Amino acid sequence: MEGAPAHNGLAGRIAMVTGGGSGIGRACAQALAAAGAKVHVVDRDGEAAERVAGEVGGWAHVVDLADAAAIETLPAEVDILVNNAGLQYVAPLHEFPPDRFTLIQQVMVTAPFLLIRRCVPHMYARGWGRIVNISSAHGLRASAYKVAYVTAKHGLEGLSKVAAVEGAPHGVTSNCVNPGYVRTPLVENQIAAQAQAHGLPPEEVVEKILLDRSPVKRLIEPAEVAELVRWLCGPHAASLTGASVPLDGGWTAN
Ligand code: NAD
């Protein structure tokens, strides 16, 4: 396969994972490094970025992805780009703070756009590249009170498809991964907040509220998402592009 290393791993590949300091991003950095890639770990939390970069033998970059000028300081020589950084804010639409809405679009749509724009010239020059966008079941479905997040994830889906269409002649694939609820700090905070709001124990919040529509009644582990991301970066996935792969315990099928 053109541009691929001799074996099926990722040796010789340079990866960049945004939000790599925690949760799914950290698991992705670990999985890509275990497959042989060198990883740029990007996070606004410097301590977390340094810790994960140390774990995987990669490089830490302390950048706030809401800052377009700071994105320009990141390396552009990247073979594998994982757009993962994200945040959540929960409020009814008519009370949703406009500045929160804007921030979520900046981090979860504009930053992935700027990074793809920045990194594809290197991928095109090498005739090989992988873009994986960590979307969500909320890139395919809506839930109440998550207007900024659902809007951003649907935007990311469009961005990913355009990158797939334009990247195809250059050996570059772009896909979304669409997890359901994954056991990370982002979700643990939501569980705690909902437990308080509903006066329920956390286990009941998980089963009765978060996983209400999910046939599989357990949280997904970050390593399960990372394994799919690693697989999408392999040479055997060259024809899988422009797709959105649900990893949601059957939620979107239900
Ligand atoms: P997390 O909170 O554990 O990690 C997110 C990381 O992104 C953190 O390290 C944080 O510092 C970083 N980050 C946030 N804003 C940033 C900014 N402005 N600049 C730089 N870094 C920033 O969250 P997670 O659950 O691992 O989520 C990762 C991605 O997975 C997000 O895009 C999220 O929407 C998506 N996702 C998560 C779940 C889930 O259930 N946890 C489900 C579906 C999709």
Side-chain angles (χ1 to χ4, degrees), residues 135-144 146-147 149-151 153-154 157 178-179 213 246 248 250-254:
S135 179
S136 166
H138 283 118
L140 307 170
R141 298 282 187 280
S143 288
K146 295 184 175 173
V147 64
Y149 189 90
V150 171
T151 302
K153 291 303 191 190
H154 278 70
E157 296 276 327
N178 300 67
R213 293 186 64 88
D248 63 0
W251 174 13
T252 51
N254 196 7

Side-chain angles (χ1 to χ4, degrees), residues 117-129:
R117 182 178 184 279
R118 187 165 169 74
C119 295
V120 290
H122 168 84
M123 297 181 189
Y124 291 177
R126 295 194 64 184
W128 192 93

Side-chain angles (χ1 to χ4, degrees), residues 18-26 42-45 48-49 61-67 83-88 103 106-108 134-138 149 153 156 177-190 219-220 222 225 251:
T18 69
S22 174
I24 295 169
R26 174 173 176 243
V42 179
D43 209 293
R44 71 173 163 190
D45 179 339
H61 302 269
V62 186
V63 164
D64 180 351
L65 293 165
D67 178 354
N83 282 311
N84 164 77
L87 64 158
Q88 181 60 281
L103 173 69
Q106 279 170 336
V107 175
M108 291 166 54
I134 307 300
S135 179
S136 166
H138 283 118
Y149 189 90
K153 291 303 191 190
L156 183 64
V177 170
N178 300 67
Y181 285 102
V182 184
R183 191 189 308 282
T184 70
L186 185 138
V187 160
E188 273 154 9
N189 294 339
Q190 287 182 60
L219 292 176
I220 299 156
V225 183
W251 174 13

Side-chain angles (χ1 to χ4, degrees), residues 90-115:
V90 179
L93 207 156
H94 60 281
E95 290 170 5
F96 208 95
D99 58 341
R100 273 282 129 181
F101 184 89
T102 301
L103 173 69
I104 287 176
Q105 309 317 308
Q106 279 170 336
V107 175
M108 291 166 54
V109 185
T110 305
F113 158 68
L114 291 173
L115 284 168

Side-chain angles (χ1 to χ4, degrees), residues 143-212:
S143 288
Y145 311 135
K146 295 184 175 173
V147 64
Y149 189 90
V150 171
T151 302
K153 291 303 191 190
H154 278 70
L156 183 64
E157 296 276 327
L159 170 63
S160 182
K161 286 179 192 158
V162 174
V165 171
E166 291 191 19
H170 307 282
V172 175
T173 70
S174 174
N175 290 289
C176 284
V177 170
N178 300 67
Y181 285 102
V182 184
R183 191 189 308 282
T184 70
L186 185 138
V187 160
E188 273 154 9
N189 294 339
Q190 287 182 60
I191 294 169
Q194 299 243 23
Q196 207 175 12
H198 296 273
L200 289 173
E203 319 74 68
E204 270 188 59
V205 169
V206 171
E207 206 180 309
K208 299 208 173 123
I209 299 178
L210 297 192
L211 301 181
D212 179 39

